Structures are given as C-alpha cells and as structure tokens.
Amino acid sequence: MMFKLLTSLVTLAAVLNGVSGAATPDSSRVLCPDGRNFASNAACCALFPLREDLQRNLFDGGQCNEEAHESLRLTFHDAIAISPALEAKGVFGGGGADGSIAIFSHIETNFHPNIGLDDIVEKQRPFLERHNVGVADFIQFAGALGASNCPGAPQLAAFVGRKDATRPAPDGLVPEPFHTPDQIFDRLADASNGEFDPILTVWLLTAHTVAAADDVDPTIPGSPFDSTPSQFDSQFFVETQLRGTLFPGDGPNKGEVLSPLRGEMRLQSDFAIARDSRTACEWQSFVNNQTKVHDMFQFVFHDLSILGQNIDDLVDCTEVIPVPRPLAGRTHFPAGMSIRDIEQACQETPFPTLPTDPGPKTVVPPVRS
C-alpha cells in the first residue's frame, strides 16, 4: 500500500512539474541552470526565467491584458519592416525580425504607423536588460507569450538565435490602416518574397481579434476591434462585416470608418479587406471556425517571426510557450444585432447561422493596462 501511495505522489509531482513548465528528464533533454526546467536545447534555458518574469510583472500574472496585446502587435511592426524590392535597387530594405524597432526606438517609433509603440518598447526594456536574450528574440518571444494568455490562441512559435539589427529599418514599410487593400497586399508580398498573398494577409489579420487602437482616435485610447478583445476567437470576423452606424469617439479620423458598436474601433483597412473580392470569402470562412482561427494564425506567425533570418541558424524553443487555455465562449451576433445587420460580401457561401447575445445592445469597454 505504501509503495502504491509513493508511486502516486511521484506521478502527481511529475504532473505538477509539467504544468509549471518543467519536464521529466530523458536522454534528449538538458537540465537548465535553474535546476527545475528541462529543455530540448540548452539555448532555450534562458527563456524560462524570462517567461516567469514577463508573466508575473508585465502580463499581470498571465492575463490577456493591454501589454499582451501590444507585445503581439510589436512582433508584426518589427518583422514586416523588410523589403527585398528595395534591396534589389541597392537600397537597404530593413532586416525584418531583427529587433530594430527596439534597438533604434528613438527612430522607428517615430514612424507614423509605429506611433504609440514606444510605450510597450519602454515597458519591455527593463525585462530585456535583466535577461540574457537577444533583442530580436525577445520581441518575438514576448509577443508569443502574451498571446498564450488569451483563451483560444494557438501556441505560437518561439525561436532563439536571430541576428540583432545594426541599423534602423527605413520608413514606409509598415502598412497603415488608411492604405488600400492593393497597397497592403503588395507590401506584405514584398516583405515575404511572395508568400504573404491576399489569403495569408487575412490569416495575419486574425491578430486583430485581441487588438485595440490607442492613436487612431486619441480621445478614446484602448478601443478594441471586436467585443471580446481578451479572447482569441472569431468575433472580429463577424463584427467587421456588420453595418457601421457610428464613430465611437470624435471621428471620422484618418484610417477609421463607421463602427457597428459603441466603444468599438473599425479600421478602414479591415473594412476594405473584409469586402474585397479577393478576400471576402476567406474572411467569412473564419466566422464560427475556431480551428481555422487557431491553425492559420499559428502557421503564419511562424513565418512572420523569422522574416529576414535564416531558420537553419535558429533553435526552436516553442516548448517554453505555454499551451493557451481553450476558448469558453461561442461566436455570436452582439446583443441587439442579427444576420440583417451583416453586409455580406462573399457570394459563394451562405453566412453562418449564429445566435444573438441576449440583453441590451452591446457597448464595448476600452482595454486598460
């Protein structure tokens, strides 16, 4: 009996260790210097204390908070700043996911599409300074970790070994919310050597399900793009197709169009891509399809996070990113709305049947730190 009890306690301890990020040793894993965590590669060990520090002191104990949202946003703004087309003309085209937005923050956060990102860059800086992790690796890791706090999110890729920037990226490489679909599609295709086509652009925009705007309308900072900004769900793809009736602040502002809900910001670029003939059906296909929301963003983030880097030089440390909690809610029409409020642009398939939330018409509160 005592032997069985001892075996059960050992098994329980192993399970608890697994939950906390540790793992039982085997011949393919190394014990990290902290004496608690095992990793498939010693290069990943530095990420365990960084993970604990970020979760405790930036992400409010592992919440899908404003800093988690902004950390994910920063991954895109750093990585997309690369242009093979400029390089072909003999002009430096940026280094992609090379940390330049933080290394040269006094330059790059003054670029118009990066306005407001100085806040998260400076909030992250103390963590960067007290951990032995490269700037480029840090930015992508922090974004992937922040996203892991949002129920429904995928476990995003985490690599180490990127080369940090030695000079700032040029201005003009980050898409703006007032850009046309053609401008955005062309920019993303250039950055990715053609991989990010219009369809994959939609996949990248899945990140807007946990996003908010501070500076499109400065009178209403923290305005979410959908009514569930702390959940990585498909509400964004529903609500961008609802008929706009109001501006949530003092709009119209540049890059903003009419929103269907009080408190919710709608970007001109999201509105246009949701209705563009090249992307409308792909956009609609995400509605009430959590598996697609999860899998497609996981796929596209992997490639975004290594733009400008040689994957053969990198070590995969995705194991350090926690597996996010599953989504608990359901895709729905916000209270007071129905299929009659949808401006359907996809003519190939019917719009999914969804329930309407009960109660008074939805008002979306701002995202706060």
PDB file of all heavy atoms in Angstrom, residues 75-110:
ATOM      1  N   THR A  75       5.474  42.464 -32.525  1.00  0.00           N
ATOM      2  CA  THR A  75       6.131  41.436 -33.352  1.00  0.00           C
ATOM      3  C   THR A  75       5.953  41.738 -34.834  1.00  0.00           C
ATOM      4  O   THR A  75       6.884  41.585 -35.626  1.00  0.00           O
ATOM      5  CB  THR A  75       5.569  40.034 -33.049  1.00  0.00           C
ATOM      6  OG1 THR A  75       4.192  39.947 -33.427  1.00  0.00           O
ATOM      7  CG2 THR A  75       5.721  39.672 -31.589  1.00  0.00           C
ATOM      8  N   PHE A  76       4.739  42.154 -35.202  1.00  0.00           N
ATOM      9  CA  PHE A  76       4.466  42.448 -36.617  1.00  0.00           C
ATOM     10  C   PHE A  76       5.216  43.689 -37.077  1.00  0.00           C
ATOM     11  O   PHE A  76       5.837  43.692 -38.151  1.00  0.00           O
ATOM     12  CB  PHE A  76       2.960  42.640 -36.824  1.00  0.00           C
ATOM     13  CG  PHE A  76       2.591  43.030 -38.228  1.00  0.00           C
ATOM     14  CD1 PHE A  76       2.498  42.074 -39.232  1.00  0.00           C
ATOM     15  CD2 PHE A  76       2.344  44.359 -38.558  1.00  0.00           C
ATOM     16  CE1 PHE A  76       2.177  42.435 -40.542  1.00  0.00           C
ATOM     17  CE2 PHE A  76       2.013  44.735 -39.853  1.00  0.00           C
ATOM     18  CZ  PHE A  76       1.931  43.766 -40.849  1.00  0.00           C
ATOM     19  N   HIS A  77       5.177  44.745 -36.277  1.00  0.00           N
ATOM     20  CA  HIS A  77       5.790  46.004 -36.695  1.00  0.00           C
ATOM     21  C   HIS A  77       7.304  45.880 -36.818  1.00  0.00           C
ATOM     22  O   HIS A  77       7.918  46.589 -37.619  1.00  0.00           O
ATOM     23  CB  HIS A  77       5.402  47.119 -35.721  1.00  0.00           C
ATOM     24  CG  HIS A  77       4.000  47.599 -35.910  1.00  0.00           C
ATOM     25  ND1 HIS A  77       3.688  48.863 -36.380  1.00  0.00           N
ATOM     26  CD2 HIS A  77       2.808  46.976 -35.721  1.00  0.00           C
ATOM     27  CE1 HIS A  77       2.383  48.995 -36.454  1.00  0.00           C
ATOM     28  NE2 HIS A  77       1.818  47.864 -36.052  1.00  0.00           N
ATOM     29  N   ASP A  78       7.912  45.008 -36.032  1.00  0.00           N
ATOM     30  CA  ASP A  78       9.349  44.763 -36.185  1.00  0.00           C
ATOM     31  C   ASP A  78       9.615  43.902 -37.413  1.00  0.00           C
ATOM     32  O   ASP A  78      10.464  44.229 -38.251  1.00  0.00           O
ATOM     33  CB  ASP A  78       9.908  44.090 -34.936  1.00  0.00           C
ATOM     34  CG  ASP A  78      11.429  43.978 -34.969  1.00  0.00           C
ATOM     35  OD1 ASP A  78      12.096  45.000 -35.248  1.00  0.00           O
ATOM     36  OD2 ASP A  78      11.964  42.879 -34.727  1.00  0.00           O
ATOM     37  N   ALA A  79       8.885  42.796 -37.538  1.00  0.00           N
ATOM     38  CA  ALA A  79       9.204  41.798 -38.560  1.00  0.00           C
ATOM     39  C   ALA A  79       8.886  42.247 -39.981  1.00  0.00           C
ATOM     40  O   ALA A  79       9.609  41.908 -40.929  1.00  0.00           O
ATOM     41  CB  ALA A  79       8.465  40.494 -38.254  1.00  0.00           C
ATOM     42  N   ILE A  80       7.803  43.008 -40.163  1.00  0.00           N
ATOM     43  CA  ILE A  80       7.356  43.335 -41.513  1.00  0.00           C
ATOM     44  C   ILE A  80       8.232  44.391 -42.171  1.00  0.00           C
ATOM     45  O   ILE A  80       8.141  44.631 -43.390  1.00  0.00           O
ATOM     46  CB  ILE A  80       5.872  43.775 -41.493  1.00  0.00           C
ATOM     47  CG1 ILE A  80       5.198  43.479 -42.839  1.00  0.00           C
ATOM     48  CG2 ILE A  80       5.728  45.255 -41.121  1.00  0.00           C
ATOM     49  CD1 ILE A  80       5.090  42.019 -43.168  1.00  0.00           C
ATOM     50  N   ALA A  81       9.117  45.023 -41.391  1.00  0.00           N
ATOM     51  CA  ALA A  81       9.975  46.092 -41.925  1.00  0.00           C
ATOM     52  C   ALA A  81      11.177  45.492 -42.649  1.00  0.00           C
ATOM     53  O   ALA A  81      12.323  45.557 -42.198  1.00  0.00           O
ATOM     54  CB  ALA A  81      10.413  47.023 -40.809  1.00  0.00           C
ATOM     55  N   ILE A  82      10.881  44.898 -43.794  1.00  0.00           N
ATOM     56  CA  ILE A  82      11.911  44.324 -44.654  1.00  0.00           C
ATOM     57  C   ILE A  82      11.403  44.382 -46.091  1.00  0.00           C
ATOM     58  O   ILE A  82      10.218  44.137 -46.340  1.00  0.00           O
ATOM     59  CB  ILE A  82      12.249  42.878 -44.244  1.00  0.00           C
ATOM     60  CG1 ILE A  82      13.392  42.325 -45.108  1.00  0.00           C
ATOM     61  CG2 ILE A  82      11.024  41.973 -44.280  1.00  0.00           C
ATOM     62  CD1 ILE A  82      13.938  40.995 -44.615  1.00  0.00           C
ATOM     63  N   SER A  83      12.281  44.737 -47.022  1.00  0.00           N
ATOM     64  CA  SER A  83      11.856  44.886 -48.410  1.00  0.00           C
ATOM     65  C   SER A  83      12.920  44.380 -49.373  1.00  0.00           C
ATOM     66  O   SER A  83      13.883  45.086 -49.688  1.00  0.00           O
ATOM     67  CB  SER A  83      11.550  46.359 -48.727  1.00  0.00           C
ATOM     68  OG  SER A  83      11.262  46.518 -50.102  1.00  0.00           O
ATOM     69  N   PRO A  84      12.772  43.155 -49.862  1.00  0.00           N
ATOM     70  CA  PRO A  84      13.661  42.676 -50.928  1.00  0.00           C
ATOM     71  C   PRO A  84      13.615  43.550 -52.175  1.00  0.00           C
ATOM     72  O   PRO A  84      14.612  43.647 -52.895  1.00  0.00           O
ATOM     73  CB  PRO A  84      13.129  41.273 -51.220  1.00  0.00           C
ATOM     74  CG  PRO A  84      12.503  40.840 -49.930  1.00  0.00           C
ATOM     75  CD  PRO A  84      11.890  42.093 -49.366  1.00  0.00           C
ATOM     76  N   ALA A  85      12.475  44.211 -52.414  1.00  0.00           N
ATOM     77  CA  ALA A  85      12.374  45.092 -53.590  1.00  0.00           C
ATOM     78  C   ALA A  85      13.336  46.267 -53.465  1.00  0.00           C
ATOM     79  O   ALA A  85      13.976  46.666 -54.450  1.00  0.00           O
ATOM     80  CB  ALA A  85      10.939  45.590 -53.745  1.00  0.00           C
ATOM     81  N   LEU A  86      13.452  46.840 -52.267  1.00  0.00           N
ATOM     82  CA  LEU A  86      14.426  47.908 -52.064  1.00  0.00           C
ATOM     83  C   LEU A  86      15.848  47.388 -52.201  1.00  0.00           C
ATOM     84  O   LEU A  86      16.711  48.042 -52.789  1.00  0.00           O
ATOM     85  CB  LEU A  86      14.228  48.545 -50.681  1.00  0.00           C
ATOM     86  CG  LEU A  86      13.019  49.459 -50.493  1.00  0.00           C
ATOM     87  CD1 LEU A  86      12.980  49.977 -49.053  1.00  0.00           C
ATOM     88  CD2 LEU A  86      13.050  50.629 -51.468  1.00  0.00           C
ATOM     89  N   GLU A  87      16.104  46.212 -51.644  1.00  0.00           N
ATOM     90  CA  GLU A  87      17.442  45.619 -51.733  1.00  0.00           C
ATOM     91  C   GLU A  87      17.847  45.406 -53.188  1.00  0.00           C
ATOM     92  O   GLU A  87      19.007  45.604 -53.548  1.00  0.00           O
ATOM     93  CB  GLU A  87      17.477  44.291 -50.976  1.00  0.00           C
ATOM     94  CG  GLU A  87      17.296  44.417 -49.471  1.00  0.00           C
ATOM     95  CD  GLU A  87      18.537  44.915 -48.750  1.00  0.00           C
ATOM     96  OE1 GLU A  87      19.618  44.959 -49.364  1.00  0.00           O
ATOM     97  OE2 GLU A  87      18.426  45.270 -47.555  1.00  0.00           O
ATOM     98  N   ALA A  88      16.874  45.024 -54.026  1.00  0.00           N
ATOM     99  CA  ALA A  88      17.171  44.799 -55.441  1.00  0.00           C
ATOM    100  C   ALA A  88      17.571  46.080 -56.152  1.00  0.00           C
ATOM    101  O   ALA A  88      18.229  46.044 -57.199  1.00  0.00           O
ATOM    102  CB  ALA A  88      15.950  44.181 -56.130  1.00  0.00           C
ATOM    103  N   LYS A  89      17.201  47.219 -55.574  1.00  0.00           N
ATOM    104  CA  LYS A  89      17.575  48.517 -56.139  1.00  0.00           C
ATOM    105  C   LYS A  89      18.859  49.060 -55.521  1.00  0.00           C
ATOM    106  O   LYS A  89      19.253  50.198 -55.790  1.00  0.00           O
ATOM    107  CB  LYS A  89      16.443  49.523 -55.918  1.00  0.00           C
ATOM    108  CG  LYS A  89      15.135  49.162 -56.605  1.00  0.00           C
ATOM    109  CD  LYS A  89      14.037  50.163 -56.237  1.00  0.00           C
ATOM    110  CE  LYS A  89      12.704  49.792 -56.870  1.00  0.00           C
ATOM    111  NZ  LYS A  89      11.622  50.724 -56.461  1.00  0.00           N
ATOM    112  N   GLY A  90      19.475  48.246 -54.639  1.00  0.00           N
ATOM    113  CA  GLY A  90      20.702  48.686 -53.996  1.00  0.00           C
ATOM    114  C   GLY A  90      20.478  49.556 -52.780  1.00  0.00           C
ATOM    115  O   GLY A  90      21.403  50.228 -52.319  1.00  0.00           O
ATOM    116  N   VAL A  91      19.256  49.534 -52.240  1.00  0.00           N
ATOM    117  CA  VAL A  91      18.910  50.341 -51.071  1.00  0.00           C
ATOM    118  C   VAL A  91      18.650  49.400 -49.899  1.00  0.00           C
ATOM    119  O   VAL A  91      18.007  48.356 -50.058  1.00  0.00           O
ATOM    120  CB  VAL A  91      17.651  51.195 -51.348  1.00  0.00           C
ATOM    121  CG1 VAL A  91      17.257  52.001 -50.114  1.00  0.00           C
ATOM    122  CG2 VAL A  91      17.878  52.108 -52.548  1.00  0.00           C
ATOM    123  N   PHE A  92      19.138  49.761 -48.714  1.00  0.00           N
ATOM    124  CA  PHE A  92      18.885  48.921 -47.543  1.00  0.00           C
ATOM    125  C   PHE A  92      17.389  48.822 -47.298  1.00  0.00           C
ATOM    126  O   PHE A  92      16.693  49.829 -47.187  1.00  0.00           O
ATOM    127  CB  PHE A  92      19.579  49.498 -46.308  1.00  0.00           C
ATOM    128  CG  PHE A  92      19.300  48.738 -45.041  1.00  0.00           C
ATOM    129  CD1 PHE A  92      19.658  47.406 -44.913  1.00  0.00           C
ATOM    130  CD2 PHE A  92      18.646  49.357 -43.978  1.00  0.00           C
ATOM    131  CE1 PHE A  92      19.393  46.694 -43.748  1.00  0.00           C
ATOM    132  CE2 PHE A  92      18.384  48.669 -42.804  1.00  0.00           C
ATOM    133  CZ  PHE A  92      18.754  47.327 -42.689  1.00  0.00           C
ATOM    134  N   GLY A  93      16.899  47.589 -47.188  1.00  0.00           N
ATOM    135  CA  GLY A  93      15.463  47.372 -47.069  1.00  0.00           C
ATOM    136  C   GLY A  93      15.001  46.915 -45.707  1.00  0.00           C
ATOM    137  O   GLY A  93      13.870  46.446 -45.566  1.00  0.00           O
ATOM    138  N   GLY A  94      15.827  47.050 -44.680  1.00  0.00           N
ATOM    139  CA  GLY A  94      15.433  46.600 -43.347  1.00  0.00           C
ATOM    140  C   GLY A  94      15.801  45.152 -43.123  1.00  0.00           C
ATOM    141  O   GLY A  94      16.056  44.396 -44.063  1.00  0.00           O
ATOM    142  N   GLY A  95      15.787  44.749 -41.862  1.00  0.00           N
ATOM    143  CA  GLY A  95      16.220  43.395 -41.513  1.00  0.00           C
ATOM    144  C   GLY A  95      15.127  42.475 -41.050  1.00  0.00           C
ATOM    145  O   GLY A  95      15.402  41.367 -40.597  1.00  0.00           O
ATOM    146  N   GLY A  96      13.860  42.891 -41.134  1.00  0.00           N
ATOM    147  CA  GLY A  96      12.771  42.018 -40.710  1.00  0.00           C
ATOM    148  C   GLY A  96      12.732  41.856 -39.203  1.00  0.00           C
ATOM    149  O   GLY A  96      12.832  42.836 -38.460  1.00  0.00           O
ATOM    150  N   ALA A  97      12.614  40.613 -38.751  1.00  0.00           N
ATOM    151  CA  ALA A  97      12.502  40.319 -37.319  1.00  0.00           C
ATOM    152  C   ALA A  97      13.882  40.380 -36.675  1.00  0.00           C
ATOM    153  O   ALA A  97      14.451  39.376 -36.245  1.00  0.00           O
ATOM    154  CB  ALA A  97      11.870  38.947 -37.116  1.00  0.00           C
ATOM    155  N   ASP A  98      14.417  41.591 -36.597  1.00  0.00           N
ATOM    156  CA  ASP A  98      15.795  41.789 -36.120  1.00  0.00           C
ATOM    157  C   ASP A  98      15.890  42.698 -34.904  1.00  0.00           C
ATOM    158  O   ASP A  98      16.984  43.068 -34.486  1.00  0.00           O
ATOM    159  CB  ASP A  98      16.675  42.343 -37.245  1.00  0.00           C
ATOM    160  CG  ASP A  98      16.238  43.730 -37.724  1.00  0.00           C
ATOM    161  OD1 ASP A  98      15.209  44.243 -37.232  1.00  0.00           O
ATOM    162  OD2 ASP A  98      16.927  44.292 -38.591  1.00  0.00           O
ATOM    163  N   GLY A  99      14.740  43.070 -34.320  1.00  0.00           N
ATOM    164  CA  GLY A  99      14.744  43.889 -33.116  1.00  0.00           C
ATOM    165  C   GLY A  99      15.006  45.360 -33.335  1.00  0.00           C
ATOM    166  O   GLY A  99      15.132  46.119 -32.370  1.00  0.00           O
ATOM    167  N   SER A 100      15.053  45.798 -34.594  1.00  0.00           N
ATOM    168  CA  SER A 100      15.431  47.188 -34.861  1.00  0.00           C
ATOM    169  C   SER A 100      14.464  48.189 -34.242  1.00  0.00           C
ATOM    170  O   SER A 100      14.857  49.288 -33.857  1.00  0.00           O
ATOM    171  CB  SER A 100      15.542  47.435 -36.369  1.00  0.00           C
ATOM    172  OG  SER A 100      14.290  47.305 -37.016  1.00  0.00           O
ATOM    173  N   ILE A 101      13.191  47.814 -34.099  1.00  0.00           N
ATOM    174  CA  ILE A 101      12.208  48.759 -33.569  1.00  0.00           C
ATOM    175  C   ILE A 101      12.499  49.099 -32.101  1.00  0.00           C
ATOM    176  O   ILE A 101      12.133  50.188 -31.627  1.00  0.00           O
ATOM    177  CB  ILE A 101      10.775  48.222 -33.739  1.00  0.00           C
ATOM    178  CG1 ILE A 101       9.755  49.353 -33.580  1.00  0.00           C
ATOM    179  CG2 ILE A 101      10.487  47.074 -32.773  1.00  0.00           C
ATOM    180  CD1 ILE A 101       8.362  48.987 -34.023  1.00  0.00           C
ATOM    181  N   ALA A 102      13.185  48.202 -31.391  1.00  0.00           N
ATOM    182  CA  ALA A 102      13.574  48.478 -30.002  1.00  0.00           C
ATOM    183  C   ALA A 102      14.999  49.008 -29.910  1.00  0.00           C
ATOM    184  O   ALA A 102      15.291  49.898 -29.117  1.00  0.00           O
ATOM    185  CB  ALA A 102      13.433  47.216 -29.162  1.00  0.00           C
ATOM    186  N   ILE A 103      15.882  48.459 -30.733  1.00  0.00           N
ATOM    187  CA  ILE A 103      17.284  48.901 -30.705  1.00  0.00           C
ATOM    188  C   ILE A 103      17.391  50.359 -31.146  1.00  0.00           C
ATOM    189  O   ILE A 103      18.153  51.145 -30.582  1.00  0.00           O
ATOM    190  CB  ILE A 103      18.144  47.987 -31.606  1.00  0.00           C
ATOM    191  CG1 ILE A 103      18.143  46.558 -31.054  1.00  0.00           C
ATOM    192  CG2 ILE A 103      19.574  48.518 -31.719  1.00  0.00           C
ATOM    193  CD1 ILE A 103      18.741  45.531 -32.011  1.00  0.00           C
ATOM    194  N   PHE A 104      16.607  50.717 -32.145  1.00  0.00           N
ATOM    195  CA  PHE A 104      16.589  52.089 -32.664  1.00  0.00           C
ATOM    196  C   PHE A 104      15.216  52.713 -32.439  1.00  0.00           C
ATOM    197  O   PHE A 104      14.638  53.327 -33.337  1.00  0.00           O
ATOM    198  CB  PHE A 104      16.960  52.086 -34.147  1.00  0.00           C
ATOM    199  CG  PHE A 104      18.313  51.487 -34.431  1.00  0.00           C
ATOM    200  CD1 PHE A 104      18.432  50.172 -34.868  1.00  0.00           C
ATOM    201  CD2 PHE A 104      19.474  52.227 -34.227  1.00  0.00           C
ATOM    202  CE1 PHE A 104      19.683  49.614 -35.120  1.00  0.00           C
ATOM    203  CE2 PHE A 104      20.730  51.678 -34.471  1.00  0.00           C
ATOM    204  CZ  PHE A 104      20.839  50.366 -34.911  1.00  0.00           C
ATOM    205  N   SER A 105      14.713  52.544 -31.231  1.00  0.00           N
ATOM    206  CA  SER A 105      13.356  53.003 -30.937  1.00  0.00           C
ATOM    207  C   SER A 105      13.218  54.509 -31.079  1.00  0.00           C
ATOM    208  O   SER A 105      12.137  55.004 -31.424  1.00  0.00           O
ATOM    209  CB  SER A 105      12.947  52.579 -29.523  1.00  0.00           C
ATOM    210  OG  SER A 105      13.840  53.105 -28.552  1.00  0.00           O
ATOM    211  N   HIS A 106      14.300  55.242 -30.848  1.00  0.00           N
ATOM    212  CA  HIS A 106      14.227  56.701 -30.980  1.00  0.00           C
ATOM    213  C   HIS A 106      13.989  57.128 -32.420  1.00  0.00           C
ATOM    214  O   HIS A 106      13.583  58.261 -32.678  1.00  0.00           O
ATOM    215  CB  HIS A 106      15.528  57.336 -30.465  1.00  0.00           C
ATOM    216  CG  HIS A 106      16.763  56.915 -31.203  1.00  0.00           C
ATOM    217  ND1 HIS A 106      17.278  55.627 -31.137  1.00  0.00           N
ATOM    218  CD2 HIS A 106      17.585  57.602 -32.038  1.00  0.00           C
ATOM    219  CE1 HIS A 106      18.361  55.549 -31.886  1.00  0.00           C
ATOM    220  NE2 HIS A 106      18.569  56.728 -32.453  1.00  0.00           N
ATOM    221  N   ILE A 107      14.207  56.212 -33.345  1.00  0.00           N
ATOM    222  CA  ILE A 107      13.951  56.477 -34.765  1.00  0.00           C
ATOM    223  C   ILE A 107      12.640  55.817 -35.199  1.00  0.00           C
ATOM    224  O   ILE A 107      11.717  56.474 -35.679  1.00  0.00           O
ATOM    225  CB  ILE A 107      15.115  55.968 -35.641  1.00  0.00           C
ATOM    226  CG1 ILE A 107      16.409  56.723 -35.316  1.00  0.00           C
ATOM    227  CG2 ILE A 107      14.776  56.094 -37.132  1.00  0.00           C
ATOM    228  CD1 ILE A 107      17.641  56.180 -36.014  1.00  0.00           C
ATOM    229  N   GLU A 108      12.550  54.519 -35.024  1.00  0.00           N
ATOM    230  CA  GLU A 108      11.448  53.768 -35.618  1.00  0.00           C
ATOM    231  C   GLU A 108      10.096  54.012 -34.951  1.00  0.00           C
ATOM    232  O   GLU A 108       9.057  53.947 -35.615  1.00  0.00           O
ATOM    233  CB  GLU A 108      11.769  52.270 -35.642  1.00  0.00           C
ATOM    234  CG  GLU A 108      12.887  51.914 -36.620  1.00  0.00           C
ATOM    235  CD  GLU A 108      12.961  50.426 -36.894  1.00  0.00           C
ATOM    236  OE1 GLU A 108      11.913  49.744 -36.879  1.00  0.00           O
ATOM    237  OE2 GLU A 108      14.085  49.931 -37.117  1.00  0.00           O
ATOM    238  N   THR A 109      10.075  54.267 -33.641  1.00  0.00           N
ATOM    239  CA  THR A 109       8.765  54.514 -33.023  1.00  0.00           C
ATOM    240  C   THR A 109       8.224  55.899 -33.370  1.00  0.00           C
ATOM    241  O   THR A 109       7.080  56.212 -33.022  1.00  0.00           O
ATOM    242  CB  THR A 109       8.810  54.343 -31.489  1.00  0.00           C
ATOM    243  OG1 THR A 109       9.747  55.256 -30.927  1.00  0.00           O
ATOM    244  CG2 THR A 109       9.161  52.922 -31.113  1.00  0.00           C
ATOM    245  N   ASN A 110       9.023  56.685 -34.082  1.00  0.00           N
ATOM    246  CA  ASN A 110       8.527  57.963 -34.595  1.00  0.00           C
ATOM    247  C   ASN A 110       7.944  57.839 -35.999  1.00  0.00           C
ATOM    248  O   ASN A 110       7.356  58.802 -36.504  1.00  0.00           O
ATOM    249  CB  ASN A 110       9.641  59.010 -34.589  1.00  0.00           C
ATOM    250  CG  ASN A 110       9.961  59.487 -33.179  1.00  0.00           C
ATOM    251  OD1 ASN A 110       9.059  59.820 -32.427  1.00  0.00           O
ATOM    252  ND2 ASN A 110      11.234  59.513 -32.832  1.00  0.00           N
TER     253      ASN A 110
END
